[in-house]
Amino acid sequence: DEKRLIVNRTGIVRHVADATHMEHVGGLETMKEWLLERKKLFLERDSLGEEIVPKGVLVMGVSGCGKSLSVKAIASCFGLPLYRIEMSEVFSGRHGTPDAAFAEACRTVESLAPAVVWFDEIEMGLSTNSAESGTSLGRIFAFFLTWMQEKARGLFVAATANRIDLLPAEMIRKGRFDEVFFVDLPGEEERIEVFRIHLRKRGIDPEALELHRLKKITQGWSGAEIEQCVVAALTQVRLQDKPLRFEDLHRAALGIIPLSKTMREQVDHIRSWAYDRAVRASPREAKS
């Protein structure tokens, strides 16, 4: 409670209370396995050398594919509170100059350790292409690099980015983050797993719904679009006061145009850039 009071007073750091467990994240088996291994090292941090203690992870990828959900699952997996640094507040001017506000936010989360610290859409605040003034941005970037090297052992940094190609090379080199993962569009089996997760979350047994029949029609979908399909189908059956059937999911799926089609060029660019520059969060053979 004391830590939450400290956070609430800052206006820049927010406590994220939405507990998400690893089993609520569909697919991404490679990243899950990596996190479970690093959890053991993180819990033993006081008896390990500084270079072995996990520092953090950078998760980039296509919008709606589970980056934010994964960060919430990391906090739950590690058994730690999750604090998010609001980059929009840092640059708002309400808390002084952006570089001073950012430094104060980082020092605040250090006082809250042990914890997981979340920098969402980090490229918007730290990229060299940012519209923010060059002086403030340069100071923030320099401070962040130093802070990542020297921060308290009890902090695990989880950063997410939609466009990792906007970040300077110094940000993603080995030694800053322990690993850079790319979250791609889910493969066939992963999409079905995501359907099951969202149906169970809403009290629906997925076993009788022949979900395998949705593999072809949902090709190129993100996890967020699968959730939208489930919500749309459930809304219709609730209005008609009838149980959910496969036909309802199929009908809802026909009305969804995925981001991979509406913004094909941007999505293809992200996937192409990350192809051999980041570790895939899912096994390569699992992709469709």
Side-chain angles (χ1 to χ4, degrees):
D1 289 341
E2 270 186 48
K3 289 181 177 180
R4 290 195 181 109
L5 285 173
I6 293 172
V7 166
N8 291 338
R9 284 198 295 266
T10 67
I12 304 176
V13 184
R14 182 170 68 88
H15 175 254
V16 181
D18 181 14
T20 298
H21 299 287
M22 280 292 180
E23 57 266 27
H24 296 154
V25 180
L28 312 185
E29 295 303 324
T30 302
M31 185 168 68
K32 287 179 182 177
E33 182 178 348
W34 184 91
L35 287 168
L36 289 172
E37 291 173 349
R38 293 324 184 270
K39 171 188 176 181
K40 180 178 184 295
L41 294 177
F42 190 82
L43 293 177
E44 298 174 356
R45 59 188 177 275
D46 293 333
S47 60
L48 298 175
E50 184 178 348
E51 70 281 359
I52 300 177
V53 178
K55 300 180 181 69
V57 63
L58 176 57
V59 185
M60 64 85 63
V62 182
S63 180
C65 287
K67 298 185 298 296
S68 298
L69 192 69
S70 298
V71 172
K72 295 174 183 177
I74 290 172
S76 177
C77 174
F78 281 30
L80 296 173
L82 175 62
Y83 298 101
R84 172 175 165 174
I85 292 183
E86 303 285 1
M87 297 304 293
S88 59
E89 283 294 318
V90 167
F91 291 106
S92 69
R94 290 189 289 269
H95 311 280
T97 60
D99 48 311
F102 184 77
E104 181 60 28
C106 291
R107 294 189 185 103
T108 297
V109 293
E110 280 204 277
S111 71
L112 302 171
V116 174
V117 186
W118 178 14
F119 293 87
D120 192 22
E121 295 188 10
I122 194 172
E123 76 275 23
M124 295 297 102
L126 299 178
S127 79
T128 53
N129 293 339
S130 172
E132 193 56 42
S133 95
T135 303
S136 291
L137 186 62
R139 289 174 180 167
I140 288 175
F141 182 60
F143 176 85
F144 183 77
L145 293 184
T146 303
W147 181 78
M148 279 292 291
Q149 293 293 111
E150 301 176 354
K151 64 178 176 58
R153 285 191 180 196
L155 286 183
F156 185 86
V157 173
T160 56
N162 291 323
R163 294 286 306 277
I164 196 176
D165 55 314
L166 296 181
L167 289 171
E170 300 95 320
M171 176 70 71
I172 58 177
R173 76 162 177 80
K174 289 293 185 180
R176 307 296 184 197
F177 294 96
D178 298 307
E179 195 58 89
V180 178
F181 282 106
F182 173 59
V183 179
D184 200 355
L185 295 168
E188 287 187 350
E189 295 304 324
E190 289 178 323
R191 293 197 297 275
I192 300 307
E193 182 182 353
V194 174
F195 265 112
R196 292 192 184 105
I197 288 170
H198 285 298
L199 288 165
R200 290 194 184 105
K201 183 179 176 181
R202 292 160 176 84
I204 306 294
D205 182 5
E207 300 310 319
L209 290 174
E210 300 179 287
L211 295 176
H212 65 277
R213 295 170 61 187
L214 293 171
K215 287 181 180 179
K216 186 174 181 179
I217 194 174
T218 59
Q219 186 170 357
W221 280 29
S222 67
E225 288 152 354
I226 293 172
E227 182 177 19
Q228 180 186 346
C229 177
V230 170
V231 170
L234 283 174
T235 299
Q236 286 301 312
V237 298
R238 292 290 186 267
L239 289 172
Q240 299 170 27
D241 195 21
K242 66 175 187 178
L244 182 70
R245 300 178 303 169
F246 166 80
E247 290 75 14
D248 301 306
L249 287 170
H250 186 265
R251 192 178 304 111
L254 292 174
I256 293 176
I257 301 176
L259 186 70
S260 62
K261 287 187 178 180
T262 57
M263 301 191 70
R264 183 187 301 275
E265 293 79 11
Q266 182 176 330
V267 171
D268 286 349
H269 171 71
I270 294 171
R271 299 179 77 189
S272 175
W273 188 94
Y275 186 80
D276 57 0
R277 290 181 171 94
V279 176
R280 296 173 71 91
S282 298
R284 192 176 297 273
E285 62 272 17
K287 296 297 171 192
S288 60

